[in-house]
Amino acid sequence: MTESAFLEKVSDTDVKRIAVNYEHDVSLVTNRTYDLASHIGFKRIERTMIATAASELANNIIFYAQRGTMTLKHITLGEINGIEITSTDLGPGINDIDLALQDEYSTGGSLGLGLPGAKRLMHEFHFDEQREQGTKIIIRRWL
């Protein structure tokens, strides 16, 4: 999908919001994402990729912001079905998204594979640079 397609209005037919405040919430996000992707019709390998990307974003909430929200949506663009995952928190934010998306870069001592991995696993990745506080990332994958 092109950036202009990303900005087009999609309709959401199924929305789930999950508070991410504790480590066990990451598993909840992963499982709910997998279930929604299955409901939409993604194949097993795609469901695993989508759930992995969601898990990476949820882990970042816990590690960097301590609390936030994940929103999972079944979306459509015309006749195309997809899934949209939004990660939102009020943590310290990401100062340099280009640097954060480089493999092996980490400000927290991790392997630095989470955000770049999530981007690779999905069709679309959007970082909300207009936020004054925290981080908001939207990822999408189309069926």
Side-chain angles (χ1 to χ4, degrees):
M1 289 281 158
T2 64
E3 182 66 20
S4 62
F6 184 85
L7 298 174
E8 288 182 45
K9 175 66 178 142
V10 296
S11 61
D12 52 333
T13 59
D14 193 8
V15 179
K16 297 181 184 344
R17 285 184 182 76
I18 303 167
V20 179
N21 301 322
Y22 306 99
E23 284 187 32
H24 67 268
D25 293 332
V26 175
S27 295
L28 180 63
V29 167
T30 304
N31 293 333
R32 293 275 169 86
T33 301
Y34 190 93
D35 292 345
L36 180 58
S38 178
H39 172 75
I40 294 168
F42 285 97
K43 294 179 182 174
R44 185 172 45 93
I45 189 70
E46 292 173 306
R47 294 190 301 257
T48 301
M49 292 165 54
I50 294 164
T52 299
S55 174
E56 292 295 344
L57 296 182
N59 269 311
N60 279 359
I61 288 174
I62 294 297
F63 191 77
Y64 293 103
Q66 287 74 52
R67 54 188 19 139
T69 305
M70 297 285 293
T71 304
L72 316 174
K73 292 182 184 180
H74 174 186
I75 57 172
T76 58
L77 182 59
E79 295 183 23
I80 302 170
N81 284 297
I83 189 167
E84 178 180 277
I85 302 163
T86 303
S87 169
T88 308
D89 67 60
L90 295 175
I94 299 173
N95 292 330
D96 187 338
I97 189 66
D98 293 328
L99 190 57
L101 288 171
Q102 290 181 16
D103 284 332
E104 300 177 15
Y105 175 80
S106 173
T107 59
S110 69
L111 295 175
L113 300 174
L115 279 183
K119 183 177 181 182
R120 277 193 297 274
L121 291 170
M122 303 297 280
H123 291 135
E124 300 178 33
F125 182 99
H126 175 71
F127 173 71
D128 184 354
E129 298 180 50
Q130 305 303 313
R131 288 182 67 84
E132 292 183 22
Q133 182 181 3
T135 302
K136 180 177 181 180
I137 295 173
I138 303 168
I139 55 177
R140 291 181 180 162
R141 186 162 179 99
W142 299 97
L143 198 60

Coordinates of all heavy atoms in Angstrom, one line a residue, residues 48-128:
T48 N 0.7 -15.3 12.9 CA 1.8 -15.3 13.7 C 2.7 -14.0 13.5 O 3.1 -13.4 14.5 CB 2.7 -16.5 13.5 OG1 1.9 -17.7 13.7 CG2 3.9 -16.5 14.3
M49 N 2.8 -13.6 12.3 CA 3.6 -12.3 12.0 C 2.9 -11.1 12.6 O 3.6 -10.3 13.3 CB 3.8 -12.2 10.5 CG 4.6 -13.2 9.9 SD 4.5 -13.3 8.0 CE 4.8 -11.7 7.5
I50 N 1.6 -11.0 12.5 CA 0.8 -9.9 13.0 C 0.9 -9.9 14.5 O 1.1 -8.9 15.1 CB -0.6 -10.0 12.5 CG1 -0.7 -9.8 11.0 CG2 -1.5 -9.0 13.2 CD1 -2.0 -10.2 10.3
A51 N 0.7 -11.1 15.1 CA 0.7 -11.2 16.6 C 2.1 -10.8 17.1 O 2.3 -10.2 18.2 CB 0.3 -12.6 17.0
T52 N 3.2 -11.2 16.4 CA 4.5 -10.8 16.8 C 4.8 -9.3 16.8 O 5.3 -8.8 17.7 CB 5.6 -11.6 15.9 OG1 5.4 -13.0 16.0 CG2 7.0 -11.2 16.3
A53 N 4.3 -8.7 15.7 CA 4.4 -7.2 15.6 C 3.7 -6.5 16.7 O 4.2 -5.6 17.4 CB 3.9 -6.8 14.2
A54 N 2.5 -7.0 17.0 CA 1.7 -6.4 18.2 C 2.4 -6.6 19.5 O 2.5 -5.7 20.3 CB 0.3 -7.1 18.2
S55 N 3.0 -7.8 19.7 CA 3.7 -8.1 20.9 C 4.9 -7.2 21.1 O 5.2 -6.7 22.2 CB 4.2 -9.6 20.8 OG 5.1 -9.9 21.9
E56 N 5.6 -6.9 20.0 CA 6.8 -6.0 20.0 C 6.3 -4.6 20.5 O 7.0 -4.0 21.3 CB 7.5 -5.9 18.7 CG 8.2 -7.2 18.3 CD 9.4 -7.5 19.2 OE1 9.8 -6.7 20.0 OE2 9.8 -8.7 19.2
L57 N 5.2 -4.1 20.0 CA 4.7 -2.8 20.4 C 4.3 -2.8 21.8 O 4.5 -1.8 22.6 CB 3.6 -2.3 19.4 CG 4.0 -2.1 18.0 CD1 2.7 -1.6 17.2 CD2 5.1 -1.1 17.8
A58 N 3.6 -3.8 22.2 CA 3.1 -3.9 23.6 C 4.3 -4.0 24.6 O 4.3 -3.4 25.6 CB 2.2 -5.1 23.8
N59 N 5.3 -4.8 24.2 CA 6.6 -4.9 25.0 C 7.2 -3.5 25.2 O 7.7 -3.1 26.3 CB 7.6 -5.8 24.4 CG 7.4 -7.2 25.0 OD1 7.3 -7.4 26.2 ND2 7.3 -8.2 24.1
N60 N 7.2 -2.7 24.1 CA 7.8 -1.4 24.2 C 7.0 -0.5 25.1 O 7.6 0.3 25.8 CB 7.8 -0.7 22.8 CG 9.0 -1.2 22.0 OD1 9.8 -2.0 22.5 ND2 9.1 -0.7 20.8
I61 N 5.7 -0.6 25.2 CA 4.9 0.1 26.1 C 5.4 -0.2 27.6 O 5.7 0.7 28.3 CB 3.4 -0.2 26.0 CG1 2.8 0.5 24.7 CG2 2.6 0.4 27.2 CD1 1.4 0.1 24.4
I62 N 5.4 -1.5 27.9 CA 5.8 -1.9 29.2 C 7.2 -1.4 29.6 O 7.5 -0.9 30.6 CB 5.7 -3.4 29.4 CG1 4.3 -3.9 29.3 CG2 6.4 -3.9 30.7 CD1 3.4 -3.3 30.4
F63 N 8.2 -1.6 28.6 CA 9.6 -1.3 28.9 C 9.9 0.2 29.0 O 10.6 0.6 29.9 CB 10.5 -1.9 27.8 CG 11.9 -1.9 28.2 CD1 12.5 -2.8 29.1 CD2 12.8 -0.9 27.6 CE1 13.8 -2.8 29.4 CE2 14.1 -0.9 27.9 CZ 14.6 -1.8 28.8
Y64 N 9.3 1.0 28.1 CA 9.6 2.4 28.0 C 8.6 3.3 28.7 O 9.0 4.4 29.2 CB 9.8 2.8 26.6 CG 11.0 2.2 25.9 CD1 10.9 1.1 25.1 CD2 12.3 2.6 26.2 CE1 12.0 0.5 24.5 CE2 13.4 2.1 25.6 CZ 13.2 1.0 24.8 OH 14.3 0.4 24.2
A65 N 7.3 3.0 28.7 CA 6.3 3.9 29.2 C 5.6 3.4 30.4 O 4.8 4.1 31.1 CB 5.3 4.2 28.1
Q66 N 5.7 2.1 30.7 CA 5.0 1.4 31.8 C 3.6 1.2 31.7 O 3.0 0.2 32.2 CB 5.3 2.1 33.2 CG 6.7 2.0 33.7 CD 7.7 2.8 33.0 OE1 7.5 4.0 32.8 NE2 8.8 2.2 32.5
R67 N 2.9 2.0 30.9 CA 1.4 1.8 30.7 C 1.0 2.5 29.4 O 1.6 3.5 29.0 CB 0.6 2.2 31.8 CG 0.7 3.6 32.3 CD -0.1 3.8 33.6 NE -0.3 2.5 34.1 CZ -0.2 2.1 35.3 NH1 -0.1 2.8 36.2 NH2 -0.4 0.8 35.7
G68 N 0.0 1.9 28.8 CA -0.5 2.4 27.5 C -1.7 1.6 27.1 O -2.3 0.9 27.9
T69 N -2.1 1.8 25.8 CA -3.2 1.1 25.2 C -2.9 0.5 23.9 O -2.2 1.2 23.1 CB -4.4 2.1 25.1 OG1 -4.7 2.7 26.4 CG2 -5.6 1.4 24.6
M70 N -3.4 -0.6 23.6 CA -3.3 -1.2 22.3 C -4.7 -1.3 21.7 O -5.6 -1.8 22.4 CB -2.7 -2.6 22.3 CG -1.3 -2.7 22.8 SD 0.0 -2.1 21.6 CE -0.1 -3.3 20.4
T71 N -4.9 -0.9 20.5 CA -6.2 -0.9 19.9 C -6.1 -1.8 18.6 O -5.2 -1.6 17.8 CB -6.7 0.5 19.5 OG1 -6.8 1.3 20.6 CG2 -8.1 0.4 18.9
L72 N -6.9 -2.8 18.6 CA -6.9 -3.8 17.5 C -8.2 -3.6 16.7 O -9.3 -3.6 17.2 CB -6.9 -5.2 18.0 CG -5.9 -5.5 19.1 CD1 -6.1 -6.9 19.6 CD2 -4.5 -5.3 18.7
K73 N -8.1 -3.4 15.3 CA -9.3 -3.2 14.5 C -9.3 -4.1 13.3 O -8.3 -4.2 12.6 CB -9.3 -1.7 14.0 CG -9.5 -0.7 15.0 CD -9.5 0.7 14.3 CE -9.6 1.8 15.3 NZ -9.7 3.1 14.6
H74 N -10.4 -4.6 13.0 CA -10.7 -5.2 11.7 C -11.1 -4.1 10.8 O -12.1 -3.4 11.0 CB -11.8 -6.2 11.8 CG -12.3 -6.8 10.5 ND1 -13.3 -7.6 10.4 CD2 -11.8 -6.7 9.2 CE1 -13.5 -8.0 9.1 NE2 -12.5 -7.4 8.4
I75 N -10.3 -3.8 9.7 CA -10.5 -2.7 8.9 C -10.8 -3.1 7.4 O -10.5 -4.3 7.1 CB -9.3 -1.7 8.9 CG1 -8.1 -2.4 8.5 CG2 -9.2 -1.0 10.2 CD1 -6.9 -1.5 8.3
T76 N -11.4 -2.3 6.7 CA -11.7 -2.5 5.3 C -11.3 -1.3 4.5 O -11.5 -0.2 4.9 CB -13.1 -2.9 5.0 OG1 -14.0 -1.9 5.4 CG2 -13.5 -4.2 5.7
L77 N -10.8 -1.5 3.3 CA -10.6 -0.5 2.3 C -11.2 -0.9 1.0 O -10.6 -1.8 0.3 CB -9.1 -0.2 2.2 CG -8.6 0.9 1.2 CD1 -9.2 2.3 1.7 CD2 -7.1 1.1 1.2
G78 N -12.4 -0.5 0.7 CA -13.1 -1.0 -0.4 C -13.5 -2.5 0.0 O -14.1 -2.7 1.0
E79 N -13.0 -3.4 -0.9 CA -13.3 -4.8 -0.6 C -12.2 -5.5 0.1 O -12.2 -6.7 0.3 CB -13.7 -5.5 -1.9 CG -15.0 -5.0 -2.5 CD -15.5 -5.7 -3.7 OE1 -15.0 -6.9 -3.9 OE2 -16.2 -5.1 -4.5
I80 N -11.1 -4.8 0.4 CA -9.9 -5.4 1.0 C -10.1 -5.4 2.6 O -10.3 -4.3 3.1 CB -8.7 -4.7 0.6 CG1 -8.5 -4.6 -0.9 CG2 -7.4 -5.3 1.2 CD1 -7.4 -3.7 -1.4
N81 N -9.9 -6.5 3.2 CA -9.9 -6.6 4.6 C -8.5 -6.5 5.2 O -7.6 -6.9 4.5 CB -10.5 -8.0 5.1 CG -12.0 -8.0 4.9 OD1 -12.7 -7.3 5.6 ND2 -12.5 -8.9 4.1
G82 N -8.4 -6.0 6.4 CA -7.1 -5.9 7.0 C -7.2 -5.8 8.5 O -8.3 -5.8 9.1
I83 N -6.1 -5.7 9.1 CA -6.0 -5.4 10.6 C -5.2 -4.2 10.8 O -4.2 -4.0 10.2 CB -5.5 -6.7 11.3 CG1 -5.6 -6.5 12.8 CG2 -4.0 -7.0 10.9 CD1 -5.4 -7.8 13.6
E84 N -5.6 -3.4 11.8 CA -4.9 -2.2 12.2 C -4.6 -2.3 13.7 O -5.5 -2.6 14.4 CB -5.7 -0.9 11.9 CG -5.0 0.3 12.3 CD -5.8 1.6 12.0 OE1 -5.8 2.0 10.8 OE2 -6.6 2.0 12.9
I85 N -3.4 -2.1 14.0 CA -3.0 -2.1 15.4 C -2.4 -0.8 15.8 O -1.5 -0.3 15.2 CB -2.0 -3.2 15.7 CG1 -2.6 -4.6 15.2 CG2 -1.5 -3.3 17.1 CD1 -1.5 -5.7 15.0
T86 N -3.0 -0.2 16.8 CA -2.5 1.1 17.3 C -1.9 1.0 18.7 O -2.6 0.5 19.6 CB -3.6 2.2 17.3 OG1 -4.1 2.3 16.0 CG2 -3.1 3.6 17.7
S87 N -0.7 1.4 18.9 CA 0.0 1.4 20.2 C 0.1 2.9 20.7 O 0.6 3.7 20.0 CB 1.3 0.8 20.0 OG 2.1 1.0 21.2
T88 N -0.5 3.2 21.8 CA -0.5 4.5 22.4 C 0.0 4.5 23.8 O -0.4 3.7 24.6 CB -1.9 5.1 22.3 OG1 -2.4 5.0 21.0 CG2 -1.8 6.6 22.7
D89 N 0.9 5.5 24.1 CA 1.4 5.6 25.5 C 1.7 7.0 25.8 O 1.8 7.9 24.9 CB 2.5 4.7 25.8 CG 3.8 5.1 25.1 OD1 4.3 6.2 25.2 OD2 4.3 4.2 24.3
L90 N 2.0 7.4 27.1 CA 2.3 8.7 27.5 C 3.8 8.7 28.0 O 4.1 9.5 28.9 CB 1.4 9.3 28.5 CG -0.1 9.5 28.0 CD1 -1.0 9.9 29.1 CD2 -0.1 10.5 26.8
G91 N 4.6 7.8 27.5 CA 6.0 7.7 28.0 C 6.8 8.8 27.4 O 6.3 9.8 27.0
P92 N 8.2 8.6 27.5 CA 9.1 9.6 27.0 C 9.1 9.9 25.5 O 9.7 10.9 25.1 CB 10.4 9.1 27.5 CG 10.3 7.6 27.5 CD 8.8 7.4 27.9
G93 N 8.5 9.1 24.8 CA 8.4 9.3 23.3 C 9.7 8.8 22.6 O 10.6 8.3 23.3
I94 N 9.7 8.9 21.3 CA 10.9 8.5 20.5 C 11.4 9.7 19.9 O 10.8 10.4 19.1 CB 10.4 7.4 19.4 CG1 9.9 6.2 20.1 CG2 11.6 7.1 18.6 CD1 9.3 5.2 19.1
N95 N 12.7 10.1 20.2 CA 13.3 11.3 19.7 C 13.6 11.2 18.2 O 13.4 12.2 17.5 CB 14.5 11.6 20.5 CG 14.2 12.0 21.9 OD1 13.2 12.6 22.2 ND2 15.1 11.7 22.8
D96 N 14.1 10.1 17.8 CA 14.5 9.9 16.4 C 14.0 8.6 15.8 O 14.6 7.6 16.0 CB 16.1 10.0 16.3 CG 16.6 10.0 14.9 OD1 15.9 9.6 13.9 OD2 17.8 10.4 14.7
I97 N 12.8 8.7 15.2 CA 12.2 7.4 14.7 C 13.1 6.7 13.6 O 13.1 5.5 13.6 CB 10.8 7.7 14.2 CG1 10.0 6.4 13.9 CG2 10.8 8.6 12.9 CD1 9.8 5.5 15.1
D98 N 13.8 7.5 12.8 CA 14.6 6.8 11.8 C 15.7 6.0 12.5 O 16.0 4.9 12.0 CB 15.2 7.9 10.9 CG 14.2 8.6 10.0 OD1 13.2 7.9 9.6 OD2 14.4 9.7 9.7
L99 N 16.3 6.5 13.5 CA 17.3 5.8 14.2 C 16.7 4.6 15.0 O 17.3 3.5 15.0 CB 18.0 6.7 15.2 CG 19.3 6.2 15.9 CD1 20.3 5.8 14.9 CD2 19.8 7.3 16.9
A100 N 15.5 4.8 15.6 CA 14.9 3.7 16.3 C 14.5 2.6 15.4 O 14.3 1.4 15.8 CB 13.6 4.3 17.0
L101 N 14.3 2.8 14.1 CA 13.9 1.8 13.1 C 15.1 1.1 12.5 O 15.0 0.2 11.7 CB 13.0 2.4 12.0 CG 11.6 2.8 12.5 CD1 10.9 3.6 11.4 CD2 10.8 1.5 12.9
Q102 N 16.3 1.4 13.0 CA 17.5 0.8 12.5 C 17.7 -0.5 13.3 O 17.6 -0.4 14.6 CB 18.7 1.7 12.6 CG 18.7 2.8 11.6 CD 20.0 3.6 11.7 OE1 21.0 3.3 12.3 NE2 19.9 4.8 11.1
D103 N 18.0 -1.6 12.7 CA 18.3 -2.8 13.4 C 19.5 -2.6 14.4 O 20.4 -1.9 14.0 CB 18.7 -4.0 12.4 CG 17.5 -4.5 11.7 OD1 16.4 -4.5 12.3 OD2 17.7 -5.0 10.6
E104 N 19.4 -3.2 15.5 CA 20.4 -3.2 16.6 C 20.5 -1.9 17.3 O 21.4 -1.7 18.1 CB 21.7 -3.7 16.0 CG 21.6 -5.1 15.5 CD 22.9 -5.6 14.9 OE1 24.0 -5.0 15.1 OE2 22.9 -6.6 14.1
Y105 N 19.7 -0.9 17.0 CA 19.7 0.4 17.8 C 18.7 0.2 18.9 O 17.6 -0.1 18.8 CB 19.4 1.6 16.9 CG 19.3 2.8 17.8 CD1 20.4 3.5 18.1 CD2 18.1 3.3 18.2 CE1 20.4 4.7 18.9 CE2 18.0 4.5 19.0 CZ 19.2 5.1 19.4 OH 19.1 6.2 20.2
S106 N 19.2 0.6 20.1 CA 18.4 0.5 21.3 C 18.8 1.6 22.3 O 20.0 1.7 22.5 CB 18.4 -0.9 21.9 OG 17.7 -0.9 23.2
T107 N 17.8 2.2 22.9 CA 18.2 3.1 24.0 C 18.0 2.4 25.4 O 18.3 3.0 26.4 CB 17.3 4.4 24.0 OG1 15.9 4.0 24.1 CG2 17.5 5.2 22.7
G108 N 17.4 1.2 25.3 CA 17.2 0.5 26.6 C 18.0 -0.8 26.8 O 17.6 -1.6 27.7
G109 N 19.0 -1.0 26.0 CA 19.9 -2.1 26.2 C 19.4 -3.4 25.6 O 19.9 -4.5 25.9
S110 N 18.3 -3.4 24.8 CA 17.8 -4.6 24.2 C 18.6 -4.9 22.9 O 19.5 -4.1 22.5 CB 16.3 -4.4 23.9 OG 16.1 -3.4 22.9
L111 N 18.1 -5.9 22.1 CA 18.8 -6.2 20.9 C 18.5 -5.2 19.8 O 19.1 -5.1 18.8 CB 18.3 -7.6 20.4 CG 18.7 -8.7 21.3 CD1 18.1 -10.0 20.7 CD2 20.2 -8.9 21.3
G112 N 17.5 -4.3 20.0 CA 17.1 -3.3 19.0 C 16.5 -3.9 17.7 O 16.7 -3.4 16.6
L113 N 15.7 -4.9 17.9 CA 15.0 -5.6 16.8 C 13.5 -5.4 16.8 O 12.8 -5.7 15.8 CB 15.4 -7.1 16.7 CG 16.9 -7.4 16.6 CD1 17.1 -8.9 16.7 CD2 17.4 -6.9 15.3
G114 N 12.9 -4.9 17.8 CA 11.5 -4.8 18.0 C 10.8 -3.9 17.0 O 10.0 -4.4 16.2
L115 N 11.1 -2.6 17.0 CA 10.4 -1.7 16.0 C 10.7 -2.0 14.6 O 9.8 -2.1 13.8 CB 10.7 -0.2 16.3 CG 10.0 0.4 17.5 CD1 10.4 1.9 17.6 CD2 8.5 0.3 17.3
P116 N 12.0 -2.2 14.2 CA 12.3 -2.6 12.8 C 11.6 -3.9 12.4 O 11.2 -4.0 11.3 CB 13.8 -2.6 12.7 CG 14.4 -2.4 14.1 CD 13.2 -2.1 15.0
G117 N 11.6 -4.8 13.4 CA 10.9 -6.1 13.1 C 9.4 -5.9 12.8 O 8.9 -6.5 11.9
A118 N 8.8 -5.1 13.7 CA 7.4 -4.9 13.5 C 7.1 -4.2 12.2 O 6.1 -4.6 11.5 CB 6.8 -4.0 14.7
K119 N 7.9 -3.3 11.8 CA 7.8 -2.6 10.5 C 7.9 -3.6 9.4 O 7.1 -3.6 8.4 CB 8.8 -1.5 10.4 CG 8.6 -0.7 9.1 CD 9.5 0.4 9.0 CE 9.3 1.2 7.7 NZ 10.2 2.3 7.5
R120 N 8.8 -4.5 9.4 CA 9.0 -5.5 8.4 C 7.9 -6.5 8.3 O 7.5 -7.0 7.2 CB 10.3 -6.3 8.6 CG 11.5 -5.6 8.1 CD 12.8 -6.5 8.0 NE 13.1 -7.0 9.4 CZ 14.0 -6.3 10.2 NH1 14.4 -5.1 9.8 NH2 14.3 -6.8 11.4
L121 N 7.3 -6.8 9.4 CA 6.2 -7.8 9.4 C 4.9 -7.3 8.9 O 4.0 -8.1 8.6 CB 6.0 -8.4 10.9 CG 7.2 -9.2 11.4 CD1 7.0 -9.4 12.9 CD2 7.3 -10.5 10.7
M122 N 4.7 -6.0 8.9 CA 3.4 -5.4 8.5 C 3.6 -4.8 7.1 O 4.7 -4.5 6.6 CB 3.0 -4.5 9.5 CG 2.8 -5.1 10.9 SD 1.6 -6.4 11.1 CE 0.1 -5.4 11.2
H123 N 2.4 -4.5 6.5 CA 2.5 -3.8 5.2 C 2.6 -2.3 5.4 O 3.2 -1.6 4.5 CB 1.2 -4.0 4.4 CG 1.1 -5.4 3.9 ND1 -0.1 -6.1 4.1 CD2 2.0 -6.2 3.4 CE1 0.1 -7.3 3.5 NE2 1.3 -7.4 3.1
E124 N 2.1 -1.7 6.5 CA 2.2 -0.3 6.7 C 2.7 0.0 8.2 O 2.3 -0.7 9.1 CB 0.8 0.4 6.5 CG 0.3 0.2 5.1 CD -1.1 0.8 4.9 OE1 -1.3 1.8 5.5 OE2 -1.9 0.2 4.2
F125 N 3.4 1.1 8.3 CA 3.9 1.5 9.6 C 3.9 3.0 9.6 O 4.4 3.7 8.8 CB 5.4 1.0 9.8 CG 6.0 1.3 11.1 CD1 6.0 0.4 12.1 CD2 6.5 2.6 11.4 CE1 6.6 0.7 13.3 CE2 7.1 2.9 12.6 CZ 7.1 1.9 13.6
H126 N 3.2 3.6 10.6 CA 3.0 5.0 10.7 C 3.3 5.4 12.1 O 2.8 4.9 13.1 CB 1.6 5.5 10.3 CG 1.4 6.9 10.5 ND1 2.0 7.9 9.7 CD2 0.7 7.6 11.4 CE1 1.6 9.1 10.1 NE2 0.8 8.9 11.2
F127 N 4.2 6.4 12.3 CA 4.6 6.9 13.6 C 4.0 8.3 13.6 O 4.3 9.1 12.7 CB 6.1 7.0 13.7 CG 6.7 7.7 14.9 CD1 6.5 7.1 16.1 CD2 7.3 8.9 14.8 CE1 7.0 7.8 17.3 CE2 7.8 9.6 15.9 CZ 7.6 9.0 17.1
D128 N 3.2 8.6 14.7 CA 2.6 9.9 14.8 C 3.6 10.9 15.4 O 3.9 11.0 16.6 CB 1.4 9.8 15.7 CG 0.6 11.1 15.9 OD1 1.1 12.1 15.3 OD2 -0.4 11.1 16.5

